[in-house]
Amino acid sequence: MIPESNFLLHGADYNYEQWLKRKDILEEDLLLMKKSHMNVMTLNVFGWSLLEKEDGVYDFSFLDERIESLHREGIKVILATPSGARPAWLAEKYPEVLRTNSRREKELFGIRHNHCPSSPLYRRKVREMDERLSQRYGSHPAVVMWHISNELGGECHCPLCQENFRSWLKDKYGNLDNLNEAWNTAFWSHTYTSWSQIQSPSPIGEYLVHGQNLDWRRFLSDQYISFMKEEIDAVRKYSPSVPVTTNLMYFFEGIDYVKLAKELDVVSWDNYPRWNAERDSFSVALDTAFFHDRIRSLKGEPFILMESSPSSTNWQNTACLKTPGMHEASALQAVAHGSDSVQYFQWRQSRGCSEMFHGAVLSHNGRSDTRVFSEVSKLGEDLEKLECVKGAETRNKVAIIYDTENAWAIEEIQGYKMNKKNYHETLVSSYAPFYRRGIGVDIVDQSADISSYSLVVAPMLYMVKAGFTDKVKAFIDDGGVFVTTYMSGIVDENDLAFLNGAPGPLEDILGLRVEETDSLPDGRTNRVEMDGRSYINRDISDIVISEGAEVLATYSSSFYKGIPALLKNGNAYYIAFRSDGSLEDDLFSRLSSELSLPSAPFKGEKGVVGVMRGKYMFVFNFSDKDSRFTPDYPMKDLLSGRSVEGEVELEVNGVMVLEME
Amino acid sequence: MIPESNFLLHGADYNYEQWLKRKDILEEDLLLMKKSHMNVMTLNVFGWSLLEKEDGVYDFSFLDERIESLHREGIKVILATPSGARPAWLAEKYPEVLRTNSRREKELFGIRHNHCPSSPLYRRKVREMDERLSQRYGSHPAVVMWHISNELGGECHCPLCQENFRSWLKDKYGNLDNLNEAWNTAFWSHTYTSWSQIQSPSPIGEYLVHGQNLDWRRFLSDQYISFMKEEIDAVRKYSPSVPVTTNLMYFFEGIDYVKLAKELDVVSWDNYPRWNAERDSFSVALDTAFFHDRIRSLKGEPFILMESSPSSTNWQNTACLKTPGMHEASALQAVAHGSDSVQYFQWRQSRGCSEMFHGAVLSHNGRSDTRVFSEVSKLGEDLEKLECVKGAETRNKVAIIYDTENAWAIEEIQGYKMNKKNYHETLVSSYAPFYRRGIGVDIVDQSADISSYSLVVAPMLYMVKAGFTDKVKAFIDDGGVFVTTYMSGIVDENDLAFLNGAPGPLEDILGLRVEETDSLPDGRTNRVEMDGRSYINRDISDIVISEGAEVLATYSSSFYKGIPALLKNGNAYYIAFRSDGSLEDDLFSRLSSELSLPSAPFKGEKGVVGVMRGKYMFVFNFSDKDSRFTPDYPMKDLLSGRSVEGEVELEVNGVMVLEME
Amino acid sequence: MIPESNFLLHGADYNYEQWLKRKDILEEDLLLMKKSHMNVMTLNVFGWSLLEKEDGVYDFSFLDERIESLHREGIKVILATPSGARPAWLAEKYPEVLRTNSRREKELFGIRHNHCPSSPLYRRKVREMDERLSQRYGSHPAVVMWHISNELGGECHCPLCQENFRSWLKDKYGNLDNLNEAWNTAFWSHTYTSWSQIQSPSPIGEYLVHGQNLDWRRFLSDQYISFMKEEIDAVRKYSPSVPVTTNLMYFFEGIDYVKLAKELDVVSWDNYPRWNAERDSFSVALDTAFFHDRIRSLKGEPFILMESSPSSTNWQNTACLKTPGMHEASALQAVAHGSDSVQYFQWRQSRGCSEMFHGAVLSHNGRSDTRVFSEVSKLGEDLEKLECVKGAETRNKVAIIYDTENAWAIEEIQGYKMNKKNYHETLVSSYAPFYRRGIGVDIVDQSADISSYSLVVAPMLYMVKAGFTDKVKAFIDDGGVFVTTYMSGIVDENDLAFLNGAPGPLEDILGLRVEETDSLPDGRTNRVEMDGRSYINRDISDIVISEGAEVLATYSSSFYKGIPALLKNGNAYYIAFRSDGSLEDDLFSRLSSELSLPSAPFKGEKGVVGVMRGKYMFVFNFSDKDSRFTPDYPMKDLLSGRSVEGEVELEVNGVMVLEME
């Protein structure tokens, strides 16, 4: 649920705390926010030191003043709880709040995101702060959203966390016998005979028991969710109707975001694509589109783009500038995929410390006669024209399974091709054929309801969780098409191999079994033939025995020449090898036709991409050169207000928002 | 001494502990072992947790059952002591048994091979376990060998180890004056004035005193040998006649294997070549042959191949499958070089944890209708045909000096070309000319009796130990030919430079001295000329002054153009530079002719290799394509039973075992 | 102030302590020193263990004997204080003297240069030793210089150092409010509310507060200077007139050498160029020349080459030999740039430990009939011919600003192109055009008096310190030409960004502002056009707005095509982009002509370099082949005694020392 406003949010993190001695700058901020068509500011992400200078002594006067000032200008506030960075006095007075790392070194005060998530003391101090914020600002008309902490994640191995881990395990397993079996501790004689023997994984202790590692990651994830829930409860205490979010991160797997999202009213995330850097824009757009879709799919609702850079991103190895127009294209890409906002980190560049060169709306010189300020303002105007897009929903017929626990299990793998596991790359490579064709895709995990889709693709579904197989069976029975690949159906939720071998519980559905899997050294490739076309095979090649499945393609090299490489068993497909993506492109193209999947109504040159949201089609030119496209019928461009008909020129980085009849 | 059976062993590590809840699987194991022509199983490597679930409470019932079951099927047992992996309760109750690493961090319970070798408590617990095993199974008819611990190695820096190190040093040096001189502690003002000042090397303390580092490695090696001896004494207590082994590792230098082997009845090792991966098969065969010969030479007797993978090896970066036939070629290569067994890790793939994807006779699905099972069974049948080979001895006229202490000293070197010391590569490069020509080679260290050889090659003999020079003199006087290279005769056993400069004590034998040594950056090369042929020179170039030696080759580039690069002083040769191996190939070819060294009686295409064991010649096709060879006279192939005469086709990965008249 | 002798020093570190049991060797040393034309030896660098075998028990007899023996032979002594390496007993008895590293691990005894610089105990022990040395040897006629400690540097994070750091901060900031503002601690809510919260930077604590990191480095630098000053006071106690030095290191930035040099009578350094290794000799000569000039400029007086290798340098990855003649060229390069000495580490190779293969005058065999000994002796003779050069001063019209605090700040940068910051490379690249043309350059920092120069070049002057801008204004007003580049004028001394944006306080001088800075990924380049010539642009490209500056060059590619890339505002130039050095070459060539900068009077082929010192011109052939040059008029070569006129052949590595009329 997005704040009840009828406009798209446009705003930034506003770390006014750094400018308290410069009233002139604080004044000027308000003028320039208006000038750049901002309507929201995120406050207080790093505000704790200012609000509570010593234990229990609170002073909200500065924050009061800023919120009032913004409110006077009609600018809304997203109010953050400041738990992401605790004050120095807190760490000094209560060392318990500091983390212990996996080597069991007690960390010192510093950086951010480094509190022990178990610490009862820290939880209490956070709750006390949050309740005060809730009470003071929770019904303020400017405050439109709560922003819980900041980019949650990390790990702590202190004694408190060890105890919590053991409790979590007791709750899960009941007794040690169950745990020993789930973790296969008979391996290497690791059988645990008392709970106290169990510790979190460590490079100077145990790190090769997969079930233990998995449970540790589950525990960590649960612990952050529980920490967040405590904060949510606190802010809701006096502010039950203001929606709550927290900001997620690109391919971050420290927390199971599907579980976390359930606790939030709105999902938001921080998006820092590497535009105009090492790779062509289409490739960057593709990765980013995948993750926007992943974020939207968490709740199946519009989301919030909480952070992005209006310019370069300092922590990237090469801080490249965005070329002209890329800012708008990047921002509207988020909107196209379901965002109801475009927000920046940050409003004004910090004077010092590690993020001082992060792109911001205002750079150190505070000038508004710059290219960046002008592109931001132009975008602000355009967002105003797109008011009608706010809240528009996205409904897709294709789902790709991206499962965090599966990602964890794949990380544990000791085998196959360890230097090229490439789970994320494979997901994106499966997504690309749809993205190229303007076909919308949801990104969900195994817990999702898949019954409404026509096509479900589950690449590298190494871990198959309880219940998923039945769901797939029902889906297929219902006419759905299911595609999976090599390295699927290997282990259960405990990372224990299925004892019928791969593809484990999917064997019947797929009508085949995998006898062996070859891994190819870097530089060695096989070929696969299908319908007279030849595909390259890298990294991984299954040697499959069909148990009824139809063979669509076979290897044409190596000692497994002639062996099936792509199989179809009714509505279930198995891709037995890793290609460069061209096999997926051909297969998904064919399936898209067969299933009449809805696609964006236009034809474009390479690199011109269409994304549908509700009744709007966003068309982007990510081809790095001026290009052309033709809408299937005349449509109105919301940005220019003009009707678009026949072949249209779209300049490099160009974007149009077309209303489909 | 190999177990008194008249057959070659064929078997596997059998970690039945992981399947206790699956009686069906345990039953099926027996059937499939017979089906695959297995005659031995290694048990109890990781059995401690099962046998002693709490301190002093033993339960041997499961092990009893398995041994009896195997015995009923006529399958022998190699019984391991389980000291390689201690139970969690032991680590919890007696933290003393855990290691302290070189940074002085106390390690936690986890993984394996991580007990403190000094801990009196651990030694006692191990002895108590071993004596029980000895008493219970030491005269069981199925038990044919003791397998002490597992892949011994590692280091501990705990206070107990520090004390033991100091005692070891006191025993060695008597007083600090001797120690200070041996370690050259006057360097950097390090003179020790009390024993308590001495600690083991550490990255946060002393690590640049070479003599100290060397002694620490000697101490560690001695400590593991002493640990192993205690275990040997324990198992022999009630089982004096069952032979004892432990499993060694490829180019592992944590222990001086020559010293360790003296304590064993039989040497065994774990062999995991990277077949069909990055390099061509001949190169892999060459490395592996070298190490088989190294292992056989430890006792100069047949050995045991204790572990190998019947399929891919999971911990290698790319887990490539073996191409058809490679399994048999790889297995019989071991036999050709002196193994009386072919054994696998492991019988059945583990369900979970880090080795779950290690190749095994049975994969997770437990099927016997697989390529791997079929190749294993075929090999089992063939091993039965090779019964006569068992116990056959190998007698060679060539020895290469591979000395563990020398390897340690070379690791210490701060100088020359630090990124390309390449001791192992140089050893193998010296071995290659003989291997290509079917000439058998022993791999021995400086302590060996070399009087029976015709040719002794000592590449990079950086450290020359007391007594070795005299031995070489006597050997040459007796007509033997001695070859050494650049970077030889530099330091004594304390890593102190000889004060006559290189080649130190070998100066008289070689008739030359080294004035300077140039190191060549990557990419820069010199040329050397000999008899009109030109050789490339990489990495290292000595500038040599002949003191009587005959000059066989000279540099033809650089400022030392015209300076000797290969010298001969009577029967002693000095190779002054590192080539790409072609110099060694030409020189050893010439010496082989001059010395009429016995070679395998056949002529083959490139990559076809002959290895003699007793009266049998094993011929392998490691050329990666079908190839031909011609035996010097008609012979019988033990595998096919057919006589082989004239040019014979040997398919890729093919092997024949020919009986030489 | 260099010792009052009328000759150039020629000598070596003499670690006689390692040879006490070899009287024969100690005797032979004296003969061979004379034979190789040595006139000075550095003693006692690692002598503590010998002089004080136990706490408070001193024995100077060995040192007495050596100094007397050398004196008898007419060899002078540079006497080191032995604080660089403390005895084992001292570390054992007083653990306080050992360091704690940044992870807060207490280090163990070992290696060298690892004492806590705060430890009052260590300072007392050092002072007691130094005063004894001063008293005993301070007026000995052989002793010509004090050598304080050895290659000072490193860091300690022990409680004593934490306390000292806090005191240092209190002295600097007075109160926490000032500190918090200087460090911008409002960022990430880091505001310190008590001094005790502040700790040194740590990888397990705070490491991203730039101001804190900078102050820690300033503190460390000050602490070593204070440590050194205590030693200087101690040796001067009884020896007020013997000059004092310490040996500095190549591009070492652990200490601000400009500050340190103020405390010394003479500056000395250790020079280990990688001759004849990966790069061509001209490139190595260029780097080395830069650093010789840097060292000379520290006091603007002749300096001492304290260490160099007469052969290869063992700790370099590839220990290449010097080609014939390179030793003399390298040694006289030091003299050309202002050294009054050529000294080696070390006289005789150590028998053991990490430096045993470091090049030395005598190698392990102690022979004097070697190429190295002969080249050293030849150089000794030549140095005697160059007596007149001693004390000759260098006066230059060009200065390059190399500022240690600026280097620290650049290291902190999180932004731009992090993998290619290349401050040192950029300095050398700015120096190269002058070096190629025989134009002398001083290397100074922002604290220097620049009024006597014609041209001041300040590459990457990221941090502009208080006072520097005014100095530059006055310099320009006075007719001086000032050149700076991209990444200049960004931060003040606290690493806080200037709030007018780049180039900060230099905006008026340069007549421009930087709106954005683009960073180019590896492999991507832009082009810049000037006067019809095209330049390549890598890594960094400023987008500049001229505020009055004249545009000399513009970008010809990217979206900032047509934007200024080189600007001139009166006598101030701004280079907006990083080229491959060719832009600097063209610009500085033009400026050299316009300013009539004095250059070495000769014309030479590429790689032939002229360096002026006083009335002497040193000409070097660093072209790696025989080459030619022509002096502008007939001159006398001091080495050959011949007059040189017209075109002259200079063999590879050749050097001439010509007296300019």
Side-chain angles (χ1 to χ4, degrees), chain B residues 385-504:
Chain B
K385 295 178 191 160
L386 298 179
E387 199 177 290
C388 54
V389 175
K390 191 203 170 269
E393 304 242 327
T394 308
R395 291 285 168 256
N396 295 318
K397 303 306 288 176
V398 181
I400 290 178
I401 306 290
Y402 164 34
D403 195 287
T404 297
E405 297 203 359
N406 185 45
W408 293 343
I410 288 171
E411 272 186 46
E412 295 296 318
I413 294 174
Q414 306 287 313
Y416 298 96
K417 187 164 172 61
M418 279 196 270
N419 65 334
K420 294 265 177 67
K421 290 179 181 173
N422 292 9
Y423 180 45
H424 296 164
E425 292 81 350
T426 303
L427 288 167
V428 173
S429 169
S430 296
Y431 175 84
F434 304 107
Y435 185 62
R436 271 189 216 105
R437 289 172 178 79
I439 298 170
V441 177
D442 287 352
I443 313 295
V444 301
D445 78 356
Q446 296 181 57
S447 71
D449 176 1
I450 55 173
S451 62
S452 66
Y453 298 109
S454 303
L455 173 60
V456 169
V457 182
M460 294 177 66
L461 195 70
Y462 176 72
M463 172 190 282
V464 177
K465 298 197 232 177
F468 186 67
T469 306
D470 289 345
K471 207 185 290 187
V472 172
K473 271 187 195 137
F475 170 71
I476 289 176
D477 288 350
D478 216 41
V481 171
F482 177 73
V483 180
T484 189
T485 73
Y486 57 89
M487 287 178 73
S488 291
I490 318 281
V491 300
D492 65 17
E493 284 167 283
N494 295 318
D495 215 337
L496 295 179
F498 293 116
L499 290 186
N500 61 333

Side-chain angles (χ1 to χ4, degrees), chain B residues 60-201:
Chain B
F60 292 96
S61 59
F62 293 102
L63 184 54
D64 289 350
E65 188 280 330
R66 270 300 90 178
I67 290 179
E68 288 311 323
S69 297
L70 291 165
H71 184 49
R72 271 195 301 276
E73 299 295 335
I75 296 169
K76 300 294 181 192
V77 166
I78 296 176
L79 191 55
T81 66
S83 62
R86 87 231 40 77
W89 63 256
L90 183 60
E92 186 186 32
K93 186 165 179 184
Y94 308 113
E96 162 193 318
V97 307
L98 294 171
R99 287 184 183 160
T100 296
N101 66 24
S102 64
R103 296 193 83 84
R104 307 312 193 241
E105 292 169 302
K106 181 79 175 173
E107 295 183 357
L108 308 168
F109 174 71
I111 58 165
R112 53 177 176 163
H113 303 163
N114 61 0
H115 61 270
C116 167
S118 291
S119 163
L121 188 288
Y122 193 62
R123 291 186 178 226
R124 175 170 68 74
K125 288 299 302 175
V126 168
R127 195 172 58 245
E128 287 172 6
M129 169 61 75
D130 290 357
E131 288 181 359
R132 276 172 176 75
L133 291 170
S134 173
Q135 189 165 26
R136 192 170 194 94
Y137 305 109
S139 33
H140 192 288
V143 174
V144 294
M145 205 180 306
W146 289 106
H147 176 299
I148 301 296
S149 205
N150 185 37
E151 298 184 345
L152 290 163
E155 47 190 291
C156 174
H157 297 256
C158 76
L160 293 166
C161 286
Q162 302 291 349
E163 270 317 305
N164 281 358
F165 182 40
R166 290 184 197 113
S167 299
W168 186 96
L169 291 170
K170 278 180 208 166
D171 286 351
K172 175 168 182 180
Y173 291 108
N175 61 53
L176 283 169
D177 204 37
N178 292 338
L179 176 144
N180 280 315
E181 193 170 348
W183 289 3
N184 198 42
T185 53
F187 174 76
W188 287 358
S189 204
H190 273 41
T191 311
Y192 291 109
T193 57
S194 96
W195 293 98
S196 56
Q197 289 155 11
I198 300 173
Q199 299 192 58
S200 62

Side-chain angles (χ1 to χ4, degrees), chain B residues 121 164 190 200 220 241 255 263 265 298 301 438 515 620:
Chain B
L121 188 288
N164 281 358
H190 273 41
S200 62
L220 280 177
S241 60
I255 297 176
E263 312 298 333
D265 298 310
L298 287 172
E301 288 173 10
E515 187 179 307
F620 299 93

Side-chain angles (χ1 to χ4, degrees), chain A residues 205-380:
Chain A
E206 185 52 70
Y207 55 88
L208 291 174
V209 174
H210 294 189
Q212 186 167 3
N213 293 348
L214 274 185
D215 277 340
W216 173 248
R217 299 194 74 162
R218 289 184 179 111
F219 162 74
L220 280 176
S221 178
D222 284 359
Q223 214 181 12
Y224 279 102
I225 294 170
S226 119
F227 183 88
M228 183 188 72
K229 280 169 69 176
E230 254 190 83
E231 287 211 64
I232 292 173
D233 289 348
V235 297
R236 281 192 181 142
K237 186 161 180 182
Y238 304 98
S239 176
S241 59
V242 174
V244 168
T245 192
T246 192
N247 51 342
L248 311 185
M249 293 178 284
Y250 180 72
F251 276 122
F252 175 75
E253 283 158 347
I255 298 176
D256 187 337
Y257 279 166
V258 170
K259 282 189 175 179
L260 176 137
K262 293 192 205 311
E263 312 299 333
L264 298 173
D265 299 309
V266 189
V267 168
S268 71
W269 81 293
D270 302 344
N271 175 36
Y272 294 103
R274 302 177 59 79
W275 298 113
N276 307 120
E278 294 81 4
R279 300 197 302 160
D280 63 275
S281 295
F282 179 81
S283 302
V284 177
L286 172 65
D287 278 4
T288 309
F290 177 90
F291 217 79
H292 280 310
D293 282 346
R294 143 74 152 163
I295 290 289
R296 185 198 60 249
S297 306
L298 287 172
K299 294 193 85 72
E301 290 172 8
F303 61 94
I304 290 288
L305 178 66
M306 184 61 84
E307 292 185 16
S308 64
S309 172
S311 175
S312 63
T313 304
N314 75 301
W315 45 261
Q316 291 167 352
N317 196 21
T318 305
C320 301
L321 294 177
K322 284 181 186 162
T323 55
M326 185 51 88
H327 177 62
E328 176 135 354
S330 179
L332 293 187
Q333 188 188 25
V335 177
H337 286 272
S339 178
D340 277 357
S341 84
V342 174
Q343 285 166 265
Y344 312 114
F345 180 86
Q346 59 181 334
W347 167 249
R348 185 184 281 274
Q349 283 190 313
S350 301
R351 281 201 75 182
C353 299
S354 68
E355 292 185 332
M356 64 189 284
F357 294 117
H358 197 294
V361 180
L362 295 178
S363 62
H364 295 126
N365 63 22
R367 298 179 74 118
S368 60
D369 61 349
T370 64
R371 185 176 76 99
V372 168
F373 192 90
S374 140
E375 295 211 17
V376 164
S377 305
K378 163 74 164 50
L379 175 73

Side-chain angles (χ1 to χ4, degrees), chain A residues 102-105 177-178 181 183-197 199-200 202 204-211 412-420 462 490-492 495-502 507 513-522 524 539 541 543 547 559-560, chain B residues 17-19 21-22 25 45-50 53-54 82 85-90 92 101 103 105-112 114 276-279 311-324 345-346 349-358 363-367 369-372:
Chain A
S102 65
R103 297 193 84 84
R104 308 310 193 241
E105 293 169 301
D177 204 37
N178 293 338
E181 193 169 349
W183 290 3
N184 197 43
T185 54
F187 175 76
W188 289 359
S189 204
H190 273 41
T191 310
Y192 291 108
T193 57
S194 96
W195 294 100
S196 57
Q197 288 156 12
Q199 299 192 58
S200 62
S202 170
I204 59 165
E206 185 52 70
Y207 55 88
L208 291 174
V209 174
H210 294 189
E412 294 297 317
I413 294 175
Q414 305 287 313
Y416 299 95
K417 187 164 173 62
M418 279 198 270
N419 65 334
K420 293 263 175 69
Y462 176 72
I490 317 282
V491 300
D492 66 15
D495 215 336
L496 295 179
F498 293 114
L499 291 186
N500 60 335
E507 182 171 354
R513 64 185 155 90
V514 178
E515 186 178 307
E516 298 181 84
T517 300
D518 200 12
S519 302
L520 310 183
D522 291 346
R524 191 195 298 164
D539 301 347
S541 321
I543 301 182
E547 295 173 330
F559 73 87
Y560 33 91
Chain B
E17 301 91 344
Q18 299 178 28
W19 304 99
K21 299 198 173 173
R22 291 294 300 266
I25 285 178
V45 174
F46 298 113
W48 198 334
S49 287
L50 181 65
K53 284 212 179 66
E54 59 182 293
R86 87 231 40 77
W89 63 256
L90 183 60
E92 186 186 32
N101 66 24
R103 296 193 83 84
E105 292 169 302
K106 181 79 175 173
E107 295 183 357
L108 308 168
F109 174 71
I111 58 165
R112 53 177 176 163
N114 61 0
N276 308 120
E278 295 80 4
R279 299 197 302 160
S311 175
S312 64
T313 304
N314 75 301
W315 45 260
Q316 291 166 352
N317 195 22
T318 306
C320 302
L321 293 177
K322 284 179 186 164
T323 56
F345 180 86
Q346 59 181 335
Q349 283 189 313
S350 302
R351 281 201 76 183
C353 299
S354 69
E355 291 184 334
M356 64 189 283
F357 295 118
H358 197 293
S363 62
H364 294 126
N365 64 20
R367 299 180 73 116
D369 60 350
T370 63
R371 185 177 75 98
V372 169

